[in-house]
Amino acid sequence: MIIGKVVGNVFSTRKCQSLVGYKLLVIKPLFGNKDDFFVAADTLGAGIGECVLVTTDNTTQYALDRQAPIDAIVVGIIDEEPQLEG
Amino acid sequence: MIIGKVVGNVFSTRKCQSLVGYKLLVIKPLFGNKDDFFVAADTLGAGIGECVLVTTDNTTQYALDRQAPIDAIVVGIIDEEPQLEG
Amino acid sequence: MIIGKVVGNVFSTRKCQSLVGYKLLVIKPLFGNKDDFFVAADTLGAGIGECVLVTTDNTTQYALDRQAPIDAIVVGIIDEEPQLEG
Amino acid sequence: MIIGKVVGNVFSTRKCQSLVGYKLLVIKPLFGNKDDFFVAADTLGAGIGECVLVTTDNTTQYALDRQAPIDAIVVGIIDEEPQLEG
Amino acid sequence: MIIGKVVGNVFSTRKCQSLVGYKLLVIKPLFGNKDDFFVAADTLGAGIGECVLVTTDNTTQYALDRQAPIDAIVVGIIDEEPQLEG
C-alpha cells in the first residue's frame, strides 16, 4: 500500500454511474517520487492534510460494497507519520 | 486513478474484435512524468484538450458492458484542474 | 494501453505449455522511457517495425481463447503514429 | 516479488474493517529505487530490520484467509541477503 | 513480459505454506532499469546466468497448478538474447 497526504479534491460531473457517491481525493505520496500525485476514492472521510493508506489495483474491490472502476482507494487514516529505523 | 489531458486519437484498423466501438485516446498525465503518454479507451465522449480521470488494470472491466482487453479507460471528465494544498 | 514499435522476436524452446503457439515480440515504447523494452504476445501478425497497441496485466486474458500466463499482448496494429496536440 | 527490509510500523485507528488484525509494515526495497518505501501487511511476524519477500497486487489474496483490500503482503522472511552473480 | 538474467537464489525458511516447493530466483532485467532486481518463482529449472521470460501480476496463476501468492514467475527460458532492429 502507499502512504500519502491528501492535497486536493477532484470534481467530475460527467462520470461513470458507478463512481457516483465516492469522494475523489488527490494524493501526494509520502515516499518515492513525491510529484507522482494520483487520485484515490474515499469512503472514510479523509480530509485535506491527513495522511492516508491507499490500496491499489483490483484489491480496491474488497473495500467496496459493489464493484466499481476504481484502482486506488483509501483504506486507512494514519495516526501519525511512521518513525523509520535503518 | 490518473488525471490526464487528452492529446490525441489512435486509429487501428487491424485490432481485436472486442475493441471495436471504443474510442482510443492518447492521454498526457497531469502529474508525475508528463512524457509518459498512454492510451485509454473512452465511452464518455472526451475531446482533445479535456482533463479526464482514468482507471487502470483490471478495474477497467467494471466500466464496461462486456469484458475487453483494455487496461485503461476514462471514467470521468474533470470539471476543472484540481486546486492543490500542501 | 501502451503504444510501441516491434523491434525483435523472442525464441524460447523450454517454456510453459500454455505459451505454445504465441509469437513473442520485443516492444519498444513510443512514449515515456523508450529503453524500457518489454515482451508482448501476438496473435494479430504484427511485424518488425510496425506500431502496435498493447494491453497489460490480467486484461490480456480477454484477448485470448484460453487462459495463459501472459501479462502483455498486442490488441491492435496502429494505422499511423498518432498526431498529438497540446 | 520484492525483497525489502522492514523499517517501520504503521498505525491506523480509522481503517477498513477488513484490515483489522494485520500488522502494517513500512518496507524499504533492497534493489531499485531504495527511497520507494511502501507498506505491506504481515502475518508472519517480521520484525524491524528483517529482510522479507513481498508479493503484490491481487496475488496477495492467495496468502489471506479472507479477501481484503491489501496490495502488498509479506510471504516470506529471507534467511540472508542473496548473493548475486553476474 | 520481462526478459531478465538469473543472478541469484533466495532462501526463506519461514514463509507462506503455499510457496513451499518453488525455487525463488533473483532476476536482473535485460532492458530498462537494470538495477531493478526482483524475485520470480521458477518451475522450469532455470539456472544462474540463464536468460528467462517472466510474467507478472495475477497472470502468474495460469502457470501454476494451484493458486499461490506469487506475482512473478518464469514462463520460458530464452534460447538467446533477442536481436533488436530499429
Side-chain angles (χ1 to χ4, degrees):
Chain A
M1 285 81 77
I2 300 165
I3 295 185
K5 189 178 279 197
V6 181
V7 295
N9 293 283
V10 177
F11 299 102
S12 169
T13 305
R14 287 190 287 162
K15 64 185 161 195
C16 282
Q17 184 61 28
S18 50
L19 287 189
V20 173
Y22 292 105
K23 271 180 67 179
L24 298 171
L25 305 176
V26 183
I27 307 291
K28 174 183 182 155
L30 203 66
F31 305 120
N33 184 350
K34 295 171 191 178
D35 294 330
D36 217 347
F37 295 4
F38 64 95
V39 177
D42 177 47
T43 61
L44 295 179
I48 299 287
E50 282 192 296
C51 258
V52 294
L53 187 67
V54 177
T55 200
T56 62
D57 288 327
N58 213 51
T59 66
T60 55
Q61 304 303 306
Y62 311 125
L64 303 174
D65 291 331
R66 57 176 201 282
Q67 293 183 323
I70 287 172
D71 66 7
I73 193 163
V74 174
V75 290
I77 296 171
I78 304 298
D79 295 348
E80 56 184 17
E81 284 196 24
Q83 305 294 319
L84 304 185
E85 302 171 44
Chain B
M1 284 82 75
I2 300 165
I3 295 184
K5 189 177 277 196
V6 181
V7 294
N9 293 283
V10 177
F11 299 102
S12 169
T13 305
R14 287 190 285 160
K15 64 184 163 196
C16 282
Q17 185 61 28
S18 50
L19 287 188
V20 173
Y22 291 105
K23 271 180 67 179
L24 298 171
L25 304 176
V26 182
I27 308 291
K28 174 184 181 154
L30 203 66
F31 305 120
N33 183 350
K34 295 170 190 177
D35 293 330
D36 216 347
F37 295 4
F38 64 94
V39 176
D42 177 46
T43 61
L44 295 179
I48 299 288
E50 282 192 297
C51 258
V52 293
L53 187 67
V54 176
T55 200
T56 63
D57 288 327
N58 212 53
T59 66
T60 55
Q61 304 303 307
Y62 311 124
L64 302 173
D65 291 331
R66 56 175 201 283
Q67 292 182 323
I70 287 172
D71 66 7
I73 193 163
V74 174
V75 290
I77 297 172
I78 303 298
D79 295 350
E80 56 183 18
E81 284 195 24
Q83 305 293 321
L84 303 185
E85 302 171 43
Chain C
M1 284 81 77
I2 300 165
I3 295 185
K5 189 177 278 197
V6 181
V7 295
N9 294 284
V10 177
F11 300 102
S12 168
T13 306
R14 287 190 286 161
K15 63 185 162 195
C16 281
Q17 184 61 27
S18 50
L19 287 189
V20 173
Y22 291 106
K23 271 180 67 180
L24 298 171
L25 304 175
V26 182
I27 308 292
K28 175 183 181 154
L30 203 66
F31 305 121
N33 184 350
K34 295 171 190 178
D35 294 329
D36 216 347
F37 295 5
F38 63 95
V39 177
D42 177 46
T43 61
L44 295 179
I48 298 287
E50 281 192 298
C51 258
V52 294
L53 187 66
V54 176
T55 200
T56 62
D57 288 326
N58 211 54
T59 67
T60 55
Q61 304 303 307
Y62 311 124
L64 303 174
D65 291 332
R66 59 177 199 284
Q67 292 183 322
I70 287 172
D71 67 6
I73 193 162
V74 174
V75 290
I77 297 171
I78 303 298
D79 295 348
E80 56 183 17
E81 284 196 24
Q83 305 294 319
L84 303 186
E85 302 171 44
Chain D
M1 284 81 75
I2 300 165
I3 295 184
K5 188 177 279 197
V6 181
V7 294
N9 293 283
V10 177
F11 299 102
S12 169
T13 305
R14 286 190 286 161
K15 65 184 162 196
C16 282
Q17 184 61 28
S18 50
L19 287 188
V20 173
Y22 292 105
K23 271 179 69 180
L24 298 171
L25 304 176
V26 182
I27 307 292
K28 175 184 181 156
L30 203 65
F31 305 121
N33 184 350
K34 295 171 191 179
D35 294 330
D36 217 347
F37 295 5
F38 63 95
V39 177
D42 178 46
T43 61
L44 295 179
I48 299 288
E50 282 192 297
C51 258
V52 293
L53 188 66
V54 176
T55 200
T56 62
D57 288 327
N58 212 53
T59 66
T60 54
Q61 304 304 306
Y62 311 125
L64 302 174
D65 291 331
R66 58 177 199 282
Q67 293 183 323
I70 287 172
D71 66 7
I73 193 163
V74 174
V75 291
I77 297 170
I78 304 298
D79 295 349
E80 56 183 18
E81 285 196 24
Q83 305 294 320
L84 303 185
E85 303 171 43
Chain E
M1 285 81 77
I2 301 164
I3 296 184
K5 189 177 278 196
V6 181
V7 295
N9 293 283
V10 176
F11 299 102
S12 169
T13 305
R14 286 190 286 162
K15 64 185 162 196
C16 282
Q17 184 60 28
S18 49
L19 287 188
V20 173
Y22 292 105
K23 271 179 67 178
L24 298 172
L25 304 176
V26 182
I27 307 291
K28 175 184 181 155
L30 203 66
F31 305 121
N33 184 349
K34 296 172 190 177
D35 294 330
D36 216 346
F37 295 6
F38 63 94
V39 176
D42 177 47
T43 61
L44 295 178
I48 299 287
E50 282 192 297
C51 258
V52 294
L53 188 66
V54 176
T55 200
T56 62
D57 288 327
N58 212 54
T59 67
T60 54
Q61 304 303 307
Y62 310 124
L64 302 174
D65 291 332
R66 57 176 200 284
Q67 292 182 324
I70 287 172
D71 66 7
I73 193 162
V74 174
V75 290
I77 296 170
I78 303 299
D79 295 349
E80 56 184 18
E81 283 196 24
Q83 304 294 320
L84 303 185
E85 302 170 43

